Amino acid sequence: MGRWARRRTWLVTPALMLAALALGACAQHPQATFSPAGPVSRRELGLMSFSLWLMIGVFVAVCIPLVYAMIRFRERKGDQGLPPQIEGNHRIEVVWTVVPILICIALAIPTIHDAFVLASPPAGSSPLVVDVVGHQWWWEFQYPGQSIVTADEMHIPAGRPIELKLTSVDVLHSFWVPALAGKEDTVPGVVNTMWLQASVPGTYPGQCAEFCGTSHSLMRFDVVAQSPAQFQAWVTGMQHPDVTPTTAEAQAGAQLFSQYQCGICHTIDGTAAKGTVGPNLTNLGERAIVVGGSLQNTPTDLAQWIHDPQAIMPDTIMPAFSTLTDQQLSELTAYLEGLKPQA
Amino acid sequence: MATLSERMPAALARRTAAEYGIWSWLTTVDHKRIGIMYLVSATIFFIFGGTEAFLMRLQLMRPENHIVSFQLFNQLFTMHGITMIFLAVMPLLIGYINVVMPLQIGARDVAYPRLNAVSLWLFFAGGLMLYSSWFLGGAPNAGWYNYAPINTGGVLNPGSDTLGISFYVLGLQIAGIGTLLSGINFTATILNLRAPGMSLMRMPLFVWTVLITSILIVFAFPPFTANLGLLMFDRLFNTGFFDPSKGGNALLWQQLFWIFGHPEVYILIMPAFGMISEVVPTFSRKPLFGYTTMVFAIIVIAFLAFMVWSHHMFTTGMGAVVNSVFAATSMAIAVPTGVKIFNWIATMWGGRIRYTTSMLFAIGFLFCFVIGGMSGVMLAAAPADYQFNDSYFLVAHIHYVLIGGSLFALFAGTYYWFPKMTGRLLSERLGKLNFWIVLIGFNVTFFPMHFLGIDGMPRRVATYPPGLGLSFWNFVSTIGVFILTAGILIFLYNLRDSLRNGEIAGPDPWDARTLEWSIPSPAPEYNFAQIPLVRGRDALWVEKQHGDGRMLPAQIVEQHGDHDADDHDAHQHHADRHLVHMPSPTPLPLILGAGAMVAGYAGLYRVWWLAILALVACFYGIFRLMYDRDPGYYVEPKGDVG
């Protein structure tokens, strides 16, 4: 393992070179494939780098004779007659048939090895199972072992393999968190599996990678990796959420929530709202992002969303509540922003 | 010609006058004119597709741009893909196949000239129908591969006009049947109409690639036809083949699509290989290095083309075993492709290279196609593809093989064969400008997309947030599009200007090697006054080396099909005066194309009586084409062979 890891280090070098180029304007790249934060993406990067090395070698092997021939054998003034009319050379043709075969074998071996390694979580580990459901255009995360449902942000414990069971309720989507793992499609009527693991706590952005309709571009999410203790605390908090409005404004908001029948589509655990068409809102108040990251989770942004969702996410099925007054909107958002897992 | 008609039986004299009016183009069955119509209409579609790309790059120039709406952006990338693949690059290649292939094998026309015209008009009808969608409620909006179940429409494709994807279904079905017929026609032509002495292993490599491409078409298009048929039932008659909520299977579309779609990308690159294999030897003044290996390489590529389709589906959950198999077969394609690259370099090696624009594009092809091939091998490594798939890395890859590959070869072929079509050379001065600007613009546009892919940018996004570090290379890429557009405009200007003012080419401006250069430019309607005798590979080159540089006529009595008494006199004439028997022009193919289009629209709008009427008209046209005897007409060649 150690030797392999060391080998991986030099394999990663060209990827880092590319990364330096890719930096361009020295920006941050939170969604990049070349700064892996877990064993799955690290292994994938190793293979990407290895294939890149091989291909750089091939490119050089093509370019040297090509450029040489272009210069050396150009037509010059005063050239007379024809060059020797050579039609082929079996020996050299065998060479450039066999060498590519060897290169392909060299690449096929780690490819097949990694395909099997990445097919399932390491034997003997006890992965956490998360069901991932793609919707037009947001992500739902269900924790069947914990009886938790959330959206937009997938909480996971760092250092533990996570086994994802992926499906979709409408069209194809593809689950992609480049820093943690390559993608896997969500297919309606089918449950696909993949696994990933975050080595250290952190927030890793992800995005739908399969075209899924009008607002495909906005179908983003975050993976929030926490220390095992923090994750356990979050699970416990989610199982006993704090959904009772405390202020007068929030109580008025809760009134509006039921008056406008938001519960037909949304669930808030511990209340009468049990809809499953839209995202579960039980812990809305603690999320950093909402609407797939198109909005920051501020009362203003949330009010804007409720007032006119089409302006933010064209063709979303979330209806517009344009008749709500500013007063009512701020009451409603006060209620929603107060929904949190128990501290 | 008027004097000739006086000497001819009246019934046969009706078409002897050369006609150049619009009607003569609409009714022609001449492979060269059909080829030119393919080229002109495909160039127009290419401009449409380029405009769509230009708008997309403007939108992506900066993060969170709102130049176009999401819905319009989705229509733009869908139509861009469909246009460039089905309505631009493939018909451009078919256009050159039409113009060049019969000339290279020493034939008077393709095997089925009227069927050839049917192919053209079906392609044109399909393309026109697809583009009319922009004005009839909105273009298709689910990508060129149009995955299920979003393609079944309704609630799964919210906000879109339900007709958009039906235009895709029926437009591509009509155009696709045209392509299938071309494949059959070209196969029959190459197998049956080669000049005496041209054995299969003496055929120019371009003809070999056409033969293999045609076989690919014949095997690859039927699954696509079936797939479109199933989707048509889903959309028009509410079946549920692809909709899981009705018990269908969403991945079925993907499997059937890529069983067609992967061979399709080789259909797009094979004739390009053939063009490079003509241009490189001519301008290196050496025979193609390793001809036999080159032939076997394309046969191996064609064989493997049908064994790799699932590498488009590594992330659909097929499992490690299937992914490993398809990764290995996909990598194997690099072997015959690598052999071709090295054989082209070896052709240049030891030669005397003339840097014409055509040769520059061929060399540009070598560099850019190698880059596209290498990213292809990287994509074939399945676990690496989990990251690359559906990202901009993949967008970079397809453009390196389709522009750096197919389109650069088409440029090389255009500068090479333009004189054979028009009699005039394209301007070399503008050509070199065209080459360098296109080369720079292309690389500035598409190389940064590799970086965008590994930076985590998925394809088909209408916008991206500023915080992901994607802004810089997207900006650079859009600057590249401005450069690339300038290069294309120079090319279009060169076409137009050289058509009128270009230098007169003469029969053989490049001191070339194959049969098309043994006849005048532009090629006369009958191609060869006398069918030439082929005495070796690179038939004309053999005569330049060992003969007097002119083709010898094949000493055969020309074969005609079954002819009845009416024709008897004419054949006597023909024997005496050496006349060439030509097929008559006919409007039936045009009517067939129009009928198919009317049937398509009627199906879309559910006017069933009209659909049935139009289909009846189509079948009437088909039966007329099958059973009408065409006596043809005779022309007297102006000169002798050579």
Side-chain angles (χ1 to χ4, degrees):
Chain A
M1 186 65 200
R3 200 163 57 88
W4 183 237
R6 273 199 304 282
R7 271 181 65 200
R8 289 274 160 161
T9 316
W10 70 259
L11 291 176
V12 167
T13 327
L16 292 179
M17 284 157 48
L18 256 187
L21 260 174
L23 282 171
C26 306
Q28 293 290 310
H29 295 88
Q31 199 166 293
T33 58
F34 55 76
S35 40
V40 175
S41 52
R42 198 166 299 128
R43 183 170 288 278
E44 286 163 350
L45 180 64
L47 188 63
M48 289 159 71
S49 308
F50 179 60
S51 63
L52 181 61
W53 263 123
L54 277 179
M55 291 305 121
I56 288 172
V58 170
F59 191 66
V60 170
V62 170
C63 283
I64 288 174
L66 177 55
V67 172
Y68 181 82
M70 282 166 60
I71 297 167
R72 170 74 181 76
F73 300 110
R74 71 186 189 278
E75 189 178 54
R76 295 178 174 82
K77 276 208 174 71
D79 276 349
Q80 296 281 315
L82 287 173
Q85 301 289 297
I86 297 157
E87 297 199 335
N89 179 326
H90 287 300
R91 196 171 302 165
I92 196 161
E93 288 180 68
V94 168
V95 170
W96 61 55
T97 309
V98 171
V99 172
I101 291 175
L102 296 178
I103 292 174
C104 284
I105 291 173
L107 183 56
I109 290 169
T111 295
I112 293 170
H113 176 257
D114 286 358
F116 281 89
V117 169
L118 296 178
S120 49
S125 64
S126 57
L128 173 76
V129 174
V130 181
D131 295 341
V132 176
V133 185
H135 298 255
Q136 281 172 328
W137 295 279
W138 56 281
W139 292 94
E140 179 173 10
F141 305 106
Q142 304 172 353
Y143 298 70
Q146 288 71 25
S147 309
I148 296 172
V149 178
T150 183
D152 285 332
E153 288 179 352
M154 180 169 85
H155 286 250
I156 59 168
R160 182 176 170 192
I162 313 297
E163 187 170 10
L164 304 177
K165 297 189 180 301
L166 308 110
T167 192
S168 163
V169 295
D170 37 51
V171 298
L172 300 182
H173 305 278
S174 192
F175 179 90
W176 190 26
V177 197
L180 298 180
K183 53 192 82 60
E184 183 80 12
D185 297 353
T186 70
V187 183
V190 174
V191 177
N192 280 338
T193 57
M194 68 178 278
W195 72 282
L196 54 76
Q197 181 176 329
S199 301
V200 288
T203 301
Y204 306 101
Q207 188 164 0
C208 173
E210 184 71 80
F211 177 71
C212 55
T214 314
S215 289
H216 162 62
S217 326
L218 303 182
M219 191 169 164
R220 309 176 49 74
F221 63 101
D222 278 343
V223 174
V224 180
Q226 296 168 298
S227 70
Q230 281 176 322
F231 176 75
Q232 193 48 50
W234 178 79
V235 168
T236 314
M238 284 294 284
Q239 287 164 338
H240 308 282
D242 203 357
V243 295
T244 318
T246 47
T247 65
E249 194 182 25
Q251 278 162 359
Q255 202 67 50
L256 284 166
F257 191 89
S258 67
Q259 181 189 333
Y260 282 89
Q261 300 187 310
C262 304
I264 288 175
C265 293
H266 296 284
T267 293
I268 298 173
D269 291 350
T271 74
K274 300 263 183 258
T276 54
V277 175
N280 186 307
L281 302 177
T282 309
N283 63 336
L284 185 71
E286 69 150 3
R287 292 181 201 158
I289 58 167
V290 287
V291 196
S294 298
L295 300 176
Q296 294 303 307
N297 192 1
T298 65
T300 334
D301 277 14
L302 210 52
Q304 196 193 342
W305 168 251
I306 295 164
H307 179 72
D308 186 9
Q310 297 293 331
I312 292 157
M313 183 178 273
D315 292 335
T316 176
I317 53 167
M318 167 86 178
F321 294 89
S322 47
T323 56
L324 292 175
T325 63
D326 287 354
Q327 167 71 22
Q328 287 173 313
L329 280 171
S330 73
E331 285 165 359
L332 195 53
T333 53
Y335 170 60
L336 294 171
E337 297 287 12
L339 301 171
K340 286 177 183 168
Q342 204 168 53
Chain B
M1 283 294 161
T3 52
L4 178 68
S5 61
E6 286 159 19
R7 290 187 266 124
M8 296 278 292
L12 294 167
R14 60 196 163 106
R15 291 293 173 198
T16 50
E19 291 177 23
Y20 290 100
I22 191 94
W23 185 246
S24 76
W25 284 91
L26 295 178
T27 59
T28 188
V29 294
D30 178 344
H31 70 97
K32 299 176 291 300
R33 286 179 151 207
I34 288 173
I36 287 168
M37 283 192 282
Y38 263 113
L39 294 173
V40 170
S41 45
T43 304
I44 292 167
F45 283 125
F46 177 83
I47 293 167
F48 291 163
T51 308
E52 284 148 5
F54 192 87
L55 288 172
M56 283 190 284
R57 279 311 327 163
L58 277 186
Q59 164 84 354
L60 294 173
M61 191 170 183
R62 295 193 173 283
E64 292 180 345
N65 234 347
H66 291 290
I67 294 173
V68 297
S69 70
F70 285 3
Q71 191 58 257
L72 179 57
F73 187 90
N74 298 341
Q75 296 175 29
L76 286 173
F77 74 66
T78 302
M79 285 302 279
H80 170 71
I82 297 170
T83 305
M84 288 310 194
I85 288 167
F86 293 103
L87 307 180
V89 173
M90 196 160 59
L92 283 171
L93 292 166
I94 289 178
Y96 278 111
I97 292 171
N98 258 306
V99 172
V100 174
M101 181 270 286
L103 298 179
Q104 283 198 333
I105 62 172
R108 290 257 157 80
D109 207 318
V110 293
Y112 310 115
R114 292 188 297 189
L115 189 68
N116 204 18
V118 172
S119 289
L120 168 74
W121 293 116
L122 286 177
F123 148 69
F124 196 70
L128 217 56
M129 207 175 144
L130 264 166
Y131 263 85
S132 70
S133 66
W134 282 114
F135 309 102
L136 296 171
N141 64 348
W144 80 274
Y145 49 62
N146 198 37
Y147 275 172
I150 197 168
N151 61 8
T152 58
V155 290
L156 294 178
N157 194 353
S160 90
D161 187 284
T162 50
L163 280 186
I165 290 169
S166 298
F167 277 101
Y168 173 104
V169 173
L170 290 160
L172 286 186
Q173 189 71 289
I174 291 169
I177 292 168
T179 309
L180 182 61
L181 297 178
S182 290
I184 295 167
N185 206 346
F186 296 151
T187 310
T189 306
I190 294 170
L191 293 181
N192 292 309
L193 295 188
R194 280 166 288 130
M198 184 174 280
S199 60
L200 285 177
M201 291 308 277
R202 282 180 176 177
M203 297 197 305
L205 208 84
F206 179 69
V207 178
W208 261 112
T209 60
V210 175
L211 177 62
I212 300 300
T213 304
S214 305
I215 293 169
L216 281 178
I217 287 175
V218 170
F219 282 95
F221 268 73
F224 188 48
T225 305
N227 216 15
L228 289 173
L230 295 176
L231 184 58
M232 183 182 80
F233 277 102
D234 272 12
R235 291 185 62 90
L236 296 186
F237 308 115
N238 291 315
T239 56
F241 292 107
F242 302 123
D243 184 352
S245 67
K246 294 177 187 161
N249 184 338
L251 291 178
L252 176 63
W253 168 274
Q254 257 182 79
Q255 299 281 5
L256 286 171
F257 187 89
W258 289 117
I259 286 169
F260 147 78
H262 201 80
E264 167 69 13
V265 301
Y266 292 119
I267 291 166
L268 295 170
I269 199 66
M270 284 278 188
F273 287 167
M275 291 175 172
I276 299 299
S277 302
E278 298 302 310
V279 168
V280 169
T282 296
F283 295 113
S284 304
R285 308 179 67 74
K286 271 181 66 201
L288 186 67
F289 191 92
Y291 174 93
T292 314
T293 324
M294 292 296 252
V295 170
F296 276 97
I298 54 172
I299 293 171
V300 170
I301 293 173
F303 178 71
L304 288 173
F306 286 98
M307 308 181 70
V308 299
W309 80 90
S310 285
H311 71 210
H312 298 270
M313 302 172 61
F314 281 149
T315 64
T316 57
M318 298 184 300
V321 176
V322 176
N323 281 1
S324 297
V325 170
F326 280 95
T329 54
S330 305
M331 287 174 192
I333 285 198
V335 176
T337 314
V339 166
K340 297 189 78 68
I341 299 280
F342 281 107
N343 277 354
W344 284 319
I345 296 173
T347 306
M348 292 165 63
W349 196 275
R352 195 154 293 158
I353 302 165
R354 281 179 292 166
Y355 286 104
T356 59
T357 307
S358 181
M359 185 66 181
L360 287 175
F361 270 111
I363 291 171
F365 166 97
L366 290 179
F367 280 106
C368 297
F369 184 72
V370 164
I371 293 175
M374 293 187 324
S375 55
V377 174
M378 293 171 74
L379 288 162
D385 184 67
Y386 301 161
Q387 292 282 17
F388 290 137
N389 187 32
D390 280 331
S391 79
Y392 259 75
F393 191 88
L394 189 113
V395 178
H397 164 71
I398 53 176
H399 287 91
Y400 265 86
V401 290
L402 274 179
I403 299 181
S406 305
L407 198 65
F408 275 29
L410 278 163
F411 275 122
T414 303
Y415 279 90
Y416 190 63
W417 282 307
F418 185 83
K420 192 48 66 186
M421 291 184 284
T422 65
R424 290 176 188 273
L425 293 164
L426 282 166
S427 159
E428 282 288 311
R429 193 177 51 81
L430 284 173
K432 283 180 181 151
L433 200 63
N434 169 202
F435 168 72
W436 286 109
I437 293 179
V438 164
L439 183 76
I440 292 166
F442 163 68
N443 281 291
V444 172
T445 306
F446 294 102
F447 206 81
M449 291 186 184
H450 294 108
F451 303 144
L452 289 170
I454 62 168
D455 283 347
M457 180 166 171
R459 70 194 295 198
R460 297 181 172 171
V461 289
T463 189
Y464 52 94
L468 296 182
L470 304 173
S471 311
F472 178 77
W473 288 119
N474 268 305
F475 186 79
V476 171
S477 178
T478 301
I479 297 300
V481 166
F482 287 109
I483 304 171
L484 184 56
T485 306
I488 303 279
L489 290 176
I490 292 171
F491 171 70
L492 294 175
Y493 175 78
N494 196 358
L495 283 183
R496 185 185 152 280
D497 191 51
S498 299
L499 205 56
R500 289 186 202 153
N501 309 321
E503 196 185 323
I504 299 293
D508 183 17
W510 313 120
D511 190 13
R513 320 174 67 83
T514 40
L515 280 177
E516 74 270 34
W517 306 105
S518 70
I519 56 172
S521 305
E525 61 172 323
Y526 46 81
N527 294 354
F528 297 89
Q530 282 178 286
I531 298 297
L533 178 69
V534 174
R535 300 201 294 169
R537 203 175 281 161
D538 289 339
L540 181 59
W541 194 250
V542 170
E543 301 303 331
K544 287 177 182 178
Q545 296 282 292
H546 306 293
D548 63 354
R550 292 153 59 93
M551 296 308 299
L552 299 173
Q555 296 298 327
I556 52 155
V557 178
E558 275 190 62
Q559 297 294 317
H560 294 285
D562 52 327
H563 39 83
D564 49 34
D566 279 356
D567 286 351
H568 190 71
D569 281 352
H571 283 290
Q572 287 301 320
H573 262 87
H574 153 244
D576 296 346
R577 296 177 192 276
H578 179 63
L579 300 179
V580 178
H581 187 197
M582 303 294 292
S584 311
T586 164
L588 284 173
L590 179 65
I591 293 168
L592 195 54
M597 193 157 95
V598 171
Y601 279 113
L604 273 177
Y605 290 100
R606 296 164 185 274
V607 189
W608 301 119
W609 63 267
L610 184 59
I612 291 165
L613 208 66
L615 284 176
V616 168
C618 284
F619 278 103
Y620 170 76
I622 291 170
F623 282 112
R624 280 285 303 274
L625 283 170
M626 282 165 71
Y627 295 115
D628 267 12
R629 267 205 33 78
D630 172 24
Y633 65 100
Y634 288 84
V635 291
E636 185 173 34
K638 288 199 183 93
D640 211 351
V641 175

